[in-house]
């Protein structure tokens, strides 16, 4: 008996469903098959590996929003919908080994430059899906209703694609619920904890020496965040709040010996030392990106701490798009041996992730899970990450 008889799935469902038949087969399908051979190998059952492969190919083939019914139609019609739903929402397979296998495949294909942690807002109007609430997205600077997730993206010289995910659930991070009138735009401690845990969970499992993390997350506690990364032994460059108190440690610069000063004030006092830095903006309208230049400076600083032994040397990095105004971007890093140019270009990996999340992320269905349970979301977004990688690798 064939596997299609057992599972209700067509063993080659996309042989007649390529949306671009006049252009030949979509190369992402072949790449997806190659990826699935490696990434789905941790699944012990052959029928699960086949369902996973067909789910990934269904995500690639289905235009527009990726509903469970639409994906099932791509992989065997109505008879496959119940089986597909159970595979994602009702099964018990663990998604973490698949994410680890995806990261390993990517590292063997194109050497990692940096991990990029970035939030992803998932607008959703229902009442019953996990994590849905009225939220403030600091990355976009606006309110929305839906879910907030943190993605950990693999960034190399040739591609960016997600490999790790975490749903932001304040109650799971130990934050006591508060009445709406008493809440700030986000739950400070819980938000920072979730953002940090999202990337460290992925990085700790990756093979080889730790690579830099670009923590492209606005308005998180700078001191607590830098301490968490230091304890994990993972280098990081993280967005800094303008009011973050820091100690200037360079005796040649204004503010040395004057006690803690806000990060923006420190940078304003040294903007005359800025140098132009060239970098590439991943503008989809320009093949290869748009070459740009902005002004930047790096200042040696420390976090103020009552215990001198915990005052680690850091760099505060500022960027100006208009030298007559305050710095437009502020970052703090423990990569103290890197010059300002490479540091600023490292932060621009976040622009690549934002561009890919908006463009290829829609094609892969990263935001399209419509189920209610958290395990189902994790399984969907893991297989959507495989579909995203297939697109990125063949772009």
């Amino acid at each position: 008996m064939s596997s299609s008889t057992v599972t209700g799935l067509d063993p080659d469902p996309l042989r007649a469903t390529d949306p671009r038949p006049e252009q030949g087969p979509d190369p992402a399908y072949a790449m997806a098959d190659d990826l699935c051979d490696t990434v789905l190998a941790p699944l012990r059952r052959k029928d699960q590996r086949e369902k996973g492969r067909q789910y990934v190919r269904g995500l690639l083939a289905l235009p527009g929003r990726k509903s469970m019914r639409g994906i099932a139609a791509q992989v065997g019609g109505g008879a496959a919908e119940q089986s597909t739903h159970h595979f994602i929402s009702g099964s018990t397979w663990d998604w973490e080994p698949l994410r680890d296998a995806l990261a390993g495949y990517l590292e063997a294909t194109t050497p990692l430059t940096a991990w990029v942690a970035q939030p992803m807002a998932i607008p959703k109007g229902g009442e019953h899906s996990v994590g849905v609430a009225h939220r403030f997205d600091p990355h976009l600077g606006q309110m929305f209703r839906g879910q907030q997730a943190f993605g950990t993206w693999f960034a190399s010289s040739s591609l960016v694609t997600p490999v790790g995910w975490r749903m932001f659930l304040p109650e799971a991070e130990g934050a006591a619920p508060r009445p709406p009138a008493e809440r700030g735009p986000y739950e400070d401690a819980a938000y920072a904890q979730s953002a940090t845990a999202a990337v460290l969970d992925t990085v700790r499992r990756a093979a080889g020496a730790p690579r830099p993390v670009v923590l492209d997350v606005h308005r998180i506690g700078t001191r607590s965040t830098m301490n968490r990364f230091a304890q994990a032994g993972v280098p990081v460059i993280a967005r800094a709040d303008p009011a973050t108190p820091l100690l200037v440690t360079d005796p040649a610069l204004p503010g040395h010996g004057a006690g803690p000063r806000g990060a923006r004030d420190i940078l304003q006092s040294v903007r005359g030392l800025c140098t132009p830095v060239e970098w590439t903006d991943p503008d989809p309208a320009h093949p290869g990106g748009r070459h740009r230049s902005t002004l930047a400076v790096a200042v040696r600083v420390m976090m103020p701490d009552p215990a001198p032994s915990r005052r680690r040397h850091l760099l505060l990095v500022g960027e100006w798009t208009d030298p007559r105004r305050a710095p437009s971007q502020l970052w703090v890093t423990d990569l103290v041996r890197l010059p300002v140019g490479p540091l600023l270009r490292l932060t621009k990996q976040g622009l690549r992730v934002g561009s890919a999340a908006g463009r290829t992320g829609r094609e892969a269905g990263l935001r399209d899970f419509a189920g209610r349970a958290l395990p189902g979301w994790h399984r969907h977004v893991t297989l959507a990450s495989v579909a995203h990688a297939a697109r990125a690798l063949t772009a």
Side-chain angles (χ1 to χ4, degrees):
M1 184 179 294
S2 70
S3 62
S4 60
T5 304
V6 174
T7 64
L9 301 181
D10 186 330
D12 191 9
L14 300 179
R15 63 184 184 274
T17 59
D18 191 329
R20 310 180 308 164
E22 72 284 356
Q23 301 178 27
D26 188 334
Y29 296 157
M31 178 57 68
D33 283 343
D34 190 46
L35 270 166
C36 287
D37 286 342
T38 299
V39 176
L40 302 182
L43 296 176
R44 291 175 294 176
R45 289 166 39 189
K46 182 178 179 180
D47 66 312
Q48 288 183 326
R49 296 193 294 273
E50 186 59 29
K51 288 176 184 177
R53 182 190 306 274
Q54 293 185 356
Y55 195 88
V56 171
R57 297 189 91 196
L59 288 168
L60 291 169
L62 184 65
R65 183 171 179 81
K66 321 296 183 182
S67 67
M68 195 75 72
R69 177 172 296 177
I71 294 170
Q74 295 289 334
V75 299
E81 184 174 353
Q82 183 176 358
S83 174
T84 303
H85 184 275
H86 175 76
F87 174 66
I88 296 298
S89 298
S91 189
T92 59
W93 57 269
D94 186 0
W95 51 85
E96 293 291 3
L98 275 63
R99 295 176 181 179
D100 295 344
L102 175 58
Y105 181 102
L106 294 170
E107 175 65 20
T109 303
T110 172
L112 176 68
T113 299
W115 302 102
V116 182
Q118 198 173 91
M120 183 175 76
I122 308 172
K124 195 174 288 287
E127 297 288 338
H128 303 293
S129 295
V130 62
V132 171
H134 287 289
R135 301 200 182 282
F136 178 79
D137 184 357
H139 198 73
L140 299 176
Q142 63 188 35
M143 295 293 299
F144 75 100
R145 177 170 181 78
Q147 299 161 319
Q148 180 82 68
F150 293 102
T152 301
W153 293 65
F154 180 104
S156 74
S157 61
S158 58
L159 65 83
V160 288
T161 194
V163 295
W165 293 97
R166 186 183 181 96
M167 180 77 76
F168 175 44
L169 301 172
E171 62 278 7
E173 305 292 349
R178 292 183 290 168
E182 297 179 11
R183 295 177 189 165
Y186 57 93
E187 300 282 356
D188 303 73
Y191 190 83
Q193 171 67 23
S194 189
T196 304
V199 64
L200 287 179
D201 285 349
T202 299
V203 173
R204 283 170 174 153
R205 294 194 308 271
R211 307 294 177 82
V213 168
V214 179
L215 194 63
D216 192 16
V217 183
H218 290 260
R219 303 182 69 178
I220 60 177
T222 304
R223 176 192 283 185
S224 60
T225 297
M226 298 304 290
N227 285 340
R228 289 191 187 103
F229 278 89
Q231 291 166 5
V234 176
V236 63
I237 181 165
R239 287 192 176 274
D241 189 280
T244 299
L246 297 167
L247 298 168
V248 177
T249 61
D250 188 337
L253 295 182
H256 178 259
R261 298 177 61 195
R264 181 167 52 195
D265 292 341
I266 292 173
L267 290 171
Q268 283 287 75
S269 69
V270 297
R271 63 180 176 178
L273 302 177
C274 286
T275 58
V277 176
E278 295 183 351
W279 50 278
T280 302
D281 188 346
D283 186 343
H286 293 75
R290 184 197 296 265
H291 295 291
R292 298 189 58 187
S293 176
T294 47
L295 297 174
V297 68
V299 181
R300 286 185 285 162
V301 295
M302 281 184 177
M303 290 283 182
D305 196 293
S309 61
R310 294 203 296 262
R311 296 179 183 177
R312 297 187 313 280
H313 289 280
L314 304 168
L315 284 178
L316 172 65
V317 179
E319 179 187 11
W320 281 259
T321 53
D322 184 345
R324 297 166 298 182
R325 299 181 179 274
S328 53
Q329 305 284 348
L330 296 85
W331 301 81
V332 64
T333 181
D334 52 11
L335 296 163
V336 295
R337 296 185 179 182
L338 282 183
V340 66
L343 286 171
L344 186 66
R345 284 188 285 272
L346 191 59
T347 69
K348 300 307 177 183
Q349 300 295 332
L351 293 178
R352 297 177 67 204
V353 166
S355 177
R359 185 177 67 257
T360 319
R362 284 191 297 270
E363 296 177 10
L366 291 177
R367 294 177 173 86
D368 289 348
F369 179 68
R372 298 182 178 183
L374 184 61
W377 176 80
H378 274 291
R379 295 189 185 101
H380 167 85
V381 80
T382 298
L383 295 176
S385 297
V386 178
H388 190 287
R391 282 274 178 236
L393 287 163
T394 55

